[in-house]
Amino acid sequence: MPVAEPSQVRRAAFRLIGLDRRAFAAMLALNGLTAAAGLVGPWLLGRIINAVGAGEGVGTVDRYALVILVFALVQLVLARFARRVGHRFGERTSARVREQFVDRALALPAAVVERAGTGDLTARGTTDVAGVGTALRDAAPEVSVAAVEALFILGAVFFLDPRLGVCGALALIGIRYATRWYLRRARTAYLDEGAANSALAEVLAASASGARTVEALGLGERRLVACQEAVERCRRTRTRTLALRTVLLPSVDVSYVLPPVAVLLVGGALHAHGAMSLGTVVAAALYLRQLSTPLDTILLWIEQLQSSGASFARVEGLAGAERPAREASAVPAGDRIEVA
């Protein structure tokens, strides 16, 4: 069975989003409001530090603390509705993917299915479709929330002071290079893993359905070897994707520490020379420390998105399966039948 190209997968994804565009737009809007509400706390904490340094009373601190509490509750409520809308969007879209897969599978000629093997079709209709559904239901809302939140946090640091914003952005370069290294290799690795899963499913299905023939012809040992080879291929492909993650995740964990450290060093030097308030330095450091939460979410789901992207390519590839035209010889032309 063919595998869809990345451009075909993108078009299919945009088509699915277009079928439920209102829910998708509502999900993005609610996620944006959730991220915006989460930015108020660190900013007001910086204001509290400056107020205490200026000798203001407890009443000022209490007012700021009350506002922080209110915005925390607002963020909680918005996050709840954002996730609800996102999950409903994901479930509806997942249902469309499953229905489309069934329609395409039933439209395939028997010769195409027999040539490809029932194991491949079974793996695409179970493991791959389930992976796409998980991405649409869980990964897409989580990543969209995290991406919007990360952009808002970086924007808030630049708003506080562009110099600190530049320091924080430059310190994130390590994450960029580690992610690019991973993404260049992940698609091929996950497609290989999907192909290995299909091959294993085909070997197991053929051995089980043809068990009487295997026993009658004494092919048990040969089928056992074939199953072991298929399992070994699955193990190798999964070990490959695991190796990619063992490079990506530690690199990112180290990179998380750099932005707050850079801001504290540069901001501390500027504050020592009277060029920046202590509240601004603390607020920027808290923002960049807070940045690790959405980035963690994105990077934890990026593996699932790569796996689901490969699954989506295999599911969408069913649309490009060869459909031979009916041959004229399918209609009897006389009383003679030739069998080759």
Side-chain angles (χ1 to χ4, degrees):
M1 290 286 184
V3 175
E5 295 295 326
S7 59
Q8 295 173 308
V9 174
R10 283 193 295 270
R11 285 196 297 271
F14 287 137
R15 184 174 63 251
L16 289 171
I17 291 173
L19 293 173
D20 206 356
R21 61 175 64 89
R22 289 184 178 178
F24 186 76
M27 180 180 67
L28 292 182
L30 287 170
N31 289 335
L33 293 173
T34 303
L39 298 177
V40 176
W43 178 68
L44 288 178
L45 184 58
R47 296 290 297 271
I48 291 175
I49 292 173
N50 288 337
V52 172
E56 297 189 27
V58 177
T60 302
V61 176
D62 289 342
R63 285 195 297 272
Y64 284 139
L66 180 60
V67 176
I68 291 175
L69 177 61
V70 169
F71 273 93
L73 293 175
V74 170
Q75 183 185 18
L76 180 64
V77 173
L78 288 173
R80 190 265 181 191
F81 282 103
R83 293 180 187 280
R84 181 176 184 273
V85 172
H87 279 269
R88 288 175 66 86
F89 165 79
E91 288 294 347
R92 287 194 297 268
T93 307
S94 177
R96 292 189 180 100
V97 172
R98 294 178 185 276
E99 292 165 1
Q100 179 178 267
F101 179 85
V102 172
D103 291 340
R104 288 173 174 174
L106 293 177
L108 289 175
V112 174
V113 176
E114 290 174 356
R115 186 163 56 248
T118 56
D120 187 17
L121 195 62
T122 301
R124 295 189 189 216
T126 53
T127 305
D128 290 330
V129 170
V132 175
T134 300
L136 293 172
R137 186 186 64 247
D138 299 325
E142 293 277 353
V143 171
S144 63
V145 171
V148 172
E149 187 177 355
L151 290 175
F152 275 41
I153 290 173
L154 285 175
V157 177
F158 274 95
F159 177 78
L160 284 173
D161 192 284
R163 294 168 294 184
L164 298 183
V166 171
C167 288
L170 290 177
L172 291 171
I173 289 180
I175 295 178
R176 175 176 177 271
Y177 283 110
T179 305
R180 285 186 60 186
W181 178 90
Y182 174 79
L183 292 178
R184 282 199 300 267
R185 295 162 174 79
R187 174 179 165 81
T188 301
Y190 280 107
L191 285 176
D192 290 343
E193 183 178 320
N197 289 337
S198 293
L200 177 59
E202 173 63 24
V203 170
L204 293 176
S207 299
S209 62
R212 292 184 180 276
T213 303
V214 170
E215 183 179 0
L217 300 180
L219 299 176
E221 188 65 29
R222 184 183 300 179
R223 298 306 299 174
L224 181 61
V225 170
C227 290
Q228 290 172 340
E229 290 176 350
V231 170
E232 175 61 21
R233 183 186 173 192
C234 280
R235 187 196 65 80
R236 287 197 305 269
T237 56
R238 295 193 179 193
T239 302
R240 171 59 178 162
T241 56
L242 176 62
L244 294 178
R245 295 194 295 275
T246 57
V247 173
L248 173 69
L249 298 179
S251 302
V252 170
D253 286 340
V254 172
S255 300
Y256 282 158
V257 184
L258 300 180
V261 171
V263 164
L264 288 174
L265 289 175
V266 175
L270 292 173
H271 173 68
H273 290 82
M276 186 177 296
S277 69
L278 180 60
T280 300
V281 177
V282 172
L286 287 175
Y287 275 137
L288 290 173
R289 187 66 188 90
Q290 188 177 332
L291 187 64
S292 64
T293 300
L295 290 180
D296 256 340
T297 301
I298 293 172
L299 291 166
L300 285 174
W301 279 108
I302 199 170
E303 181 267 334
Q304 176 65 43
L305 289 174
Q306 292 303 306
S307 175
S308 300
S311 296
F312 200 0
R314 288 164 49 79
V315 171
E316 191 64 23
L318 208 66
E322 179 185 359
R323 289 173 170 79
R326 290 182 176 274
E327 300 178 1
S329 58
V331 179
D335 57 359
R336 183 177 179 82
I337 299 176
E338 296 183 4
V339 178

